[in-house]
């Protein structure tokens, strides 16, 4: 393609309304002779983006973006300069000379093809609407009334009726000069095996799919017959001028309300959209049976900052909700979710409970990432470490889609807390490529098996969880210094503080205060053992405790004996005689202590009064 003449560029700028163009992307309010709104190029809470129609320019005083309508479209759509000028020229009906006759002919054919296509779709829309409000449309009107859709709402969405029969659309559009082969390429007719054509939409309520510029691009149809004569819903096929993953049903009607409320409600079906609009929820759109695409998410981003997914309550709706996450995160949208009972959908919910009930659910909507993580974690929460590890693949897939580092850290900490996994180990696992996670998995598994304590120390833990009133004597007698595990000593101090603060043991709160990892696993096991030993009375518990304390003392004496013996072996008797004598005396004291413990085995000392 050759250079676009300056005269053509000037003509395009003169014949393009910058206000009308920008309003397709940004909700604007009048401010004197100008218009203002939230900037589409950076996040802000107070509007600093202005459009000056008289001068044909826009300017953001927050991020300094500015220019004419060509620069606006280049920035927001990512188009290059020639692509932008040609798009605006096509909308304004301006011819652009091409570099060669072949290029000129190809461009002319595409323009003519699109012009014919849009004319066909507009003629079909008019025909279907005439049928709905005419004599043949009674059955369709009755069906809409049964669904709670009034005439005003039906006309707002341009609903129509494709009458029963094989060639009604073909004949009606044929009278306007549109050939059956053209209708086939537009998706309105289907070729048969005899060289002829028949209507794609027959005896159906018809929904026109309209882009943000008001062009009818396609149709959806809902069957009225209940005799099994075809699919309940059918849609136009994709064409050179229509890609379903690039459009949102109802956006042409919803965009003004979305811009005002700065939020969108995304539902699954066309009827859901129409019913909710009829109930006064004018921010509703649908992705027309596809998983929400990144293009559709960017469309939403033009008009809203907050997107609420409200798909059907069945398992398919749940899976479809999950698939929306990546596109919404990539678009930088605040994504939330409303879920319904298994047999419910937005349409039936609103008809039964009312629009205010749905709005209340929208206000209380849960963040989509949090919902998805809860869905993965809840079934294994409190289960074995192996079961909890099984949820990590799903958790990893969810967190991979979270692009904001601060949000990722927040959710990773929450996952670590709920799965009782050491945060550092969890992050190591999640940040590794899937094929290199095995080593990190083994580390998580090993850490989650519980802190291995000597039997006497484990016994002390269990009995003090059962009899926390003995903790004050335990620390007063400095029995914590006999423990080989500093982690256990620190935890018992946590238990004492908890007991004093709550005048008892609140197990969920105590576990909440226990860092994820091996000690938490050991505490869970000890609490379970305490519960299973409820048949023991206080006297039995005291005997068990004293036995454990005596064993702790003996274990401490053994460790001290070995430690002092190693020190003694490293002392030079000739140069460090005083140190040698001192260690020998300490060693003798420890050995006397061990003998006393053995002699006293039949009459254990009380460590708690």
């Amino acid at each position: 393609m050759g250079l676009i003449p300056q005269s053509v560029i000037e003509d395009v700028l003169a014949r393009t309304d910058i206000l009308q163009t920008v309003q397709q992307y940004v909700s604007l309010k009048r401010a004197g002779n100008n218009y203002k709104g939230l900037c589409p190029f950076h996040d802000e809470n107070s509007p600093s983006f202005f459009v000056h129609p008289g001068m044909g320019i826009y300017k953001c005083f927050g991020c300094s973006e500015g220019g004419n309508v060509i620069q606006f479209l280049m920035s927001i759509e990512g188009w290059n300069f020639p692509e932008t000028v040609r798009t605006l020229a096509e909308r304004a009906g301006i011819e652009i000379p091409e570099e060669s006759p072949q290029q000129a002919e190809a461009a002319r054919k595409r323009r003519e093809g699109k012009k014919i296509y849009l004319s066909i779709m507009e003629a079909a829309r008019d025909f279907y609407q005439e049928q709905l409000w005419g004599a043949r449309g009674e059955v369709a009107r009755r069906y809409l009334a049964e669904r709670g859709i009034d005439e005003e709402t039906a006309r707002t969405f341009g609903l129509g009726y494709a009458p029963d029969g094989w060639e009604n659309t073909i004949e009606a559009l044929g009278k306007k000069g549109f050939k059956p082969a053209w209708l086939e390429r537009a998706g309105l007719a289907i070729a048969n095996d005899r060289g002829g054509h028949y209507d794609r939409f027959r005896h159906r309520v018809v929904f026109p799919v309209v882009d943000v510029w008001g062009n009818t691009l396609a149709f959806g149809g809902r069957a009225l017959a209940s005799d099994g004569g075809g699919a309940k819903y059918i849609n136009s096929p994709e064409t050179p001028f229509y890609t379903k993953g690039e459009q949102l049903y109802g956006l042409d009607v919803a965009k003004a309300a979305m811009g005002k409320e700065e939020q969108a409600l995304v539902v699954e079906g066309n009827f859901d959209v129409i019913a909710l609009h009829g109930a006064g929820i004018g921010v509703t759109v649908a992705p027309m049976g596809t998983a929400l695409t990144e293009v559709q998410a960017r469309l939403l981003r033009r008009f809203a900052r907050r997107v609420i997914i409200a798909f059907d309550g069945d398992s398919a709706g749940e899976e479809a909700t999950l698939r929306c996450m990546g596109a919404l995160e990539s678009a930088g949208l605040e994504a939330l979710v409303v879920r319904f009972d298994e047999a419910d959908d937005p349409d039936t919910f609103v008809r039964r409970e009312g629009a205010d009930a749905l709005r209340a659910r929208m206000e209380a909507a849960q963040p989509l990432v949090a919902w998805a993580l809860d869905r993965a974690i809840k079934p294994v929460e409190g289960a074995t470490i192996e079961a909890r590890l099984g949820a990590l693949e799903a958790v990893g897939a969810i967190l991979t889609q979270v692009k904001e580092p601060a949000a990722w850290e927040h959710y990773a900490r929450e996952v670590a807390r709920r799965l009782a996994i050491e945060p550092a180990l969890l992050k190591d696992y999640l940040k590794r490529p899937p094929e290199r996670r095995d080593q990190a998995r083994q580390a998580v598994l090993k850490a989650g098996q519980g802190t291995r304590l000597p039997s006497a120390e484990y016994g002390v833990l269990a009995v003090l969880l059962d009899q926390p009133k003995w903790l004050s004597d335990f620390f007063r007698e400095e029995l914590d210094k006999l423990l080989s595990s500093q982690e256990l000593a620190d935890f018992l101090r946590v238990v004492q503080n908890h007991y004093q603060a709550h005048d008892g043991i609140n197990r969920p709160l105590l576990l909440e205060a226990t860092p994820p990892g091996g000690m938490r696993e050991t505490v869970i096991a000890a609490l379970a053992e305490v519960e299973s030993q409820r048949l023991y009375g206080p006297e039995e518990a005291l005997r068990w405790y004293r036995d454990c304390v005596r064993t702790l003392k003996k274990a401490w004496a053994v460790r001290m004996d070995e430690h002092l013996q190693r020190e003694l072996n490293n002392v030079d008797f000739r140069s460090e005689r005083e140190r040698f004598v001192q260690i020998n005396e300490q060693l003798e004291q420890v050995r006397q202590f061990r003998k006393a413990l053995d002699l006293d085995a039949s009459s254990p000392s009380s460590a708690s009064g």
Side-chain angles (χ1 to χ4, degrees):
M1 295 182 181
L3 295 174
I4 300 173
Q6 184 63 32
S7 60
V8 173
I9 296 171
E10 292 172 358
D11 197 12
V12 165
L13 289 172
R15 293 169 63 178
T16 300
D17 184 338
I18 188 171
L19 178 62
Q20 182 185 42
T21 301
V22 174
Q23 281 179 322
Q24 302 303 315
Y25 300 87
V26 182
S27 177
L28 298 172
K29 297 178 182 178
R30 181 182 286 277
N33 293 327
N34 305 312
Y35 292 79
K36 68 178 180 178
L38 294 174
C39 180
F41 304 114
H42 79 285
D43 292 329
E44 62 178 7
N45 296 318
S46 300
S48 59
F49 178 87
F50 286 81
V51 176
H52 309 277
M55 293 186 287
I57 63 171
Y58 72 95
K59 175 67 178 178
C60 176
F61 293 95
C63 67
S64 300
E65 277 276 353
N68 59 28
V69 68
I70 295 174
Q71 290 160 322
F72 176 82
L73 286 174
M74 287 173 65
S75 294
I76 203 163
E77 292 285 7
W79 297 337
N80 60 33
F81 182 83
E83 185 179 15
T84 305
V85 174
R86 290 175 189 280
T87 300
L88 290 174
E90 183 179 319
R91 289 174 184 167
I94 299 171
E95 293 285 341
I96 296 180
E98 305 294 334
E99 183 177 23
S100 69
Q102 294 82 0
Q103 290 173 328
E105 180 63 13
R108 185 192 67 78
K109 284 184 177 180
R110 177 163 179 85
R111 286 196 302 272
E112 287 300 315
K114 186 171 184 179
K115 184 177 180 180
I116 293 170
Y117 179 82
L118 295 178
S119 298
I120 290 172
M121 304 309 278
E122 197 61 36
R125 176 173 174 165
D126 291 343
F127 170 69
Y128 294 140
Q129 286 183 294
E130 289 170 5
Q131 300 306 302
L132 176 63
W133 305 112
R136 289 200 286 186
E138 182 180 354
V139 63
R141 294 195 300 273
R142 188 164 61 247
Y143 174 79
L144 292 175
E146 290 171 357
R147 297 291 298 258
I149 299 171
D150 59 24
E151 180 175 343
E152 181 183 357
T153 304
R155 288 188 182 278
T156 296
F157 281 88
L159 300 189
Y161 170 60
D164 202 5
W166 293 96
E167 297 180 355
N168 289 295
T169 306
I170 292 172
E171 289 178 359
L173 270 63
K175 292 176 182 178
K176 297 181 179 292
F178 300 121
K179 300 175 183 179
W182 296 0
L183 303 187
E184 181 187 352
R185 288 195 289 273
L188 296 173
I190 299 173
N192 60 31
D193 54 8
R194 299 185 302 277
H197 293 81
Y198 60 92
D199 292 345
R200 178 180 296 275
F201 299 101
R202 305 179 307 280
H203 195 38
R204 292 177 181 270
V205 173
V206 176
F207 312 83
V209 178
V210 183
D211 68 12
V212 293
W213 301 99
N215 299 311
T216 301
L217 301 181
F219 295 93
R222 205 286 183 188
L224 294 174
S226 57
D227 56 3
K232 182 186 291 186
Y233 290 96
I234 62 172
N235 298 296
S236 292
E238 294 191 346
T239 71
F241 307 108
Y242 166 65
T243 303
K244 65 180 181 179
E246 295 178 356
Q247 304 297 328
L248 287 162
Y249 181 74
L251 183 60
D252 59 310
V253 179
K255 63 185 181 182
M258 286 167 55
K260 184 178 180 181
E261 295 188 28
E262 297 183 6
Q263 70 175 357
L265 182 70
V266 179
V267 297
E268 283 190 71
N270 296 358
F271 262 119
D272 290 325
V273 172
I274 297 166
L276 267 56
H277 274 262
I281 302 177
V283 296
T284 312
V285 295
M288 299 184 300
T290 66
L292 193 73
T293 66
E294 290 192 10
V295 175
Q296 290 170 327
R298 288 197 298 272
L299 264 178
L300 290 170
R301 182 71 169 78
R302 297 179 187 178
F303 306 99
R305 294 292 183 269
R306 184 175 190 253
V307 175
I308 304 168
I309 305 297
F311 287 171
D312 294 355
D314 57 16
S315 58
E318 193 170 84
E319 291 297 329
T321 299
L322 196 61
R323 291 196 297 271
C324 292
M325 188 186 310
L328 294 173
E329 284 287 330
S330 294
L333 287 158
E334 180 188 0
L336 302 108
V337 60
V338 166
R339 294 295 298 148
F340 302 99
D341 293 338
E342 188 173 354
D344 246 347
D345 58 52
D347 180 12
T348 56
F349 179 85
V350 166
R351 282 195 282 165
R352 185 182 69 248
E353 305 289 340
D356 287 343
L358 180 56
R359 284 203 175 273
R361 288 203 173 194
M362 291 168 64
E363 286 299 315
Q366 184 181 10
L368 180 55
V369 174
W371 168 81
L373 289 173
D374 185 66
R375 179 175 176 268
I377 292 171
K378 200 167 186 178
V380 300
E381 205 165 9
T384 65
I385 184 63
E386 290 82 358
R388 282 175 278 137
L389 271 172
L392 285 186
E393 288 303 318
V395 167
I398 293 165
L399 291 182
T400 297
Q401 299 177 75
V402 178
K403 307 302 180 186
E404 171 58 43
W408 192 98
E409 288 288 336
H410 165 77
Y411 286 121
R413 286 195 300 271
E414 179 66 7
V415 169
R417 183 188 68 80
R418 292 184 61 184
L419 291 181
I421 293 173
E422 186 68 36
L425 293 176
L426 177 73
K427 291 177 185 179
D428 181 43
Y429 177 89
L430 293 175
K431 290 185 175 181
R432 293 193 187 203
E435 64 275 9
R436 297 180 56 197
R437 284 180 176 167
D438 188 60
Q439 185 178 354
R441 181 186 178 89
Q442 292 304 316
V444 173
L445 186 60
K446 182 178 179 182
Q449 294 297 339
T451 299
R452 294 187 178 278
L453 296 175
S455 60
E457 298 192 19
Y458 180 81
V460 165
L461 169 64
V463 78
L464 289 178
L465 286 172
D466 184 49
Q467 303 289 337
K469 59 182 178 290
W470 295 348
L471 276 162
S472 58
D473 286 336
F474 179 85
F475 284 108
R476 180 177 52 79
E477 297 179 20
E478 298 186 339
L479 297 178
D480 55 311
K481 292 182 169 55
L482 303 177
L483 299 173
S484 64
S485 169
Q486 184 59 44
E487 190 178 14
L488 175 58
D490 293 341
F491 174 73
L492 289 175
R493 186 67 71 179
V494 169
V495 177
Q496 184 185 36
N497 294 336
H498 173 92
Y499 173 69
Q500 292 172 346
H502 298 88
D503 195 26
I505 296 293
N506 182 314
R507 295 183 183 187
L509 286 180
L510 180 61
L511 285 176
E512 186 69 22
T514 309
M519 181 52 70
R520 179 182 283 189
E521 297 297 321
T522 302
V523 171
I524 291 171
L527 286 170
E529 184 155 343
V530 166
E531 188 65 35
S532 69
Q533 300 295 334
R534 283 296 178 194
L535 54 100
Y536 291 162
E539 290 185 6
E540 291 85 351
L542 182 57
R543 280 198 295 271
W544 182 25
Y545 175 57
R546 286 174 173 172
D547 286 344
C548 290
V549 168
R550 187 169 58 252
T551 303
L552 281 184
K553 291 178 177 179
K554 290 173 72 173
W556 172 85
V558 169
R559 292 198 303 274
M560 283 301 297
D561 190 313
E562 293 172 348
H563 169 71
L564 292 170
Q565 190 62 58
R566 283 194 300 271
E567 278 204 20
L568 193 63
N569 293 336
N570 292 323
V571 172
D572 185 347
F573 174 76
R574 287 171 295 182
S575 61
E576 299 177 274
R577 182 173 298 183
E578 185 176 342
R579 175 65 178 149
F580 183 86
V581 171
Q582 183 184 38
I583 294 175
N584 256 318
E585 289 176 352
Q586 292 175 342
L587 187 59
E588 182 60 28
Q589 290 172 357
V590 168
R591 288 173 177 172
Q592 289 297 326
F593 179 67
R594 288 180 64 182
K595 288 179 182 179
L597 287 173
D598 291 335
L599 291 173
D600 200 34
S602 61
S603 178
S605 61
S606 174
S608 58

